[in-house]
């Protein structure tokens, strides 16, 4: 049997063996009794980043497979996902140094550091 045919047999066998396990479960509840909440969004590559610029506010940034960055925030409820664009080649980092202020950093094409800011009351 050709190598490609063997790979297909192995993949089919693995799928048949794993099928009875069912869908992948969410992580176990947090130690304090919290419940995990799915946030959806783009299929992530790498780790998410999060920051808060004030009480009751949380901003989360992720990178998708094409290198685009996406943001979602919580302020009394979750927003939809906002596409920030870009061509990130690393996981994003996000920080706040004041109310309403967010600074996003990532490695871009060519390996250099890129920065994007959202000033208080302003847009990206």
């Amino acid at each position: 049997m050709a190598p490609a045919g063997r790979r297909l047999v192995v993949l089919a066998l693995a799928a048949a063996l794993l099928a009875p396990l069912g869908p992948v479960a969410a992580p176990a509840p947090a130690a304090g009794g919290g419940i995990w909440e799915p946030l959806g969004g783009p299929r992530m590559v790498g780790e998410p980043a999060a920051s808060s610029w004030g009480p009751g506010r949380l901003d989360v940034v992720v990178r998708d497979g094409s290198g685009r960055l996406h943001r979602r925030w919580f302020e009394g409820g979750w927003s939809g996902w906002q596409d920030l664009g870009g061509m990130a080649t690393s996981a994003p980092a996000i920080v706040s140094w004041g109310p309403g202020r967010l600074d996003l950093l990532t490695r871009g094409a060519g390996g250099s550091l890129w920065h994007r800011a959202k000033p208080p009351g302003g847009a990206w």
Side-chain angles (χ1 to χ4, degrees), residues 7-110:
R7 278 192 292 261
L8 288 175
V9 169
V10 169
L11 290 174
L13 180 58
L17 291 173
L18 294 174
L21 298 177
V24 176
I35 297 174
W36 287 93
E37 173 185 11
L39 297 180
R43 181 153 174 82
M44 290 189 323
V45 174
E47 304 300 322
S51 183
S52 175
W53 53 256
R57 176 67 185 222
L58 179 66
D59 285 79
V60 179
V61 179
V62 300
R63 176 174 61 118
D64 71 17
S66 68
R68 296 180 74 81
L69 298 177
H70 303 266
R71 170 180 162 248
R72 190 171 192 185
W73 61 94
F74 182 90
E75 191 170 41
W78 283 104
S79 70
W81 285 97
Q82 176 187 23
D83 185 344
L84 298 175
M87 281 301 297
T89 61
S90 71
I94 188 170
V95 66
S96 174
W97 48 269
R101 172 73 188 212
L102 291 170
D103 288 87
L104 181 59
L105 299 123
T106 191
R107 184 178 57 225

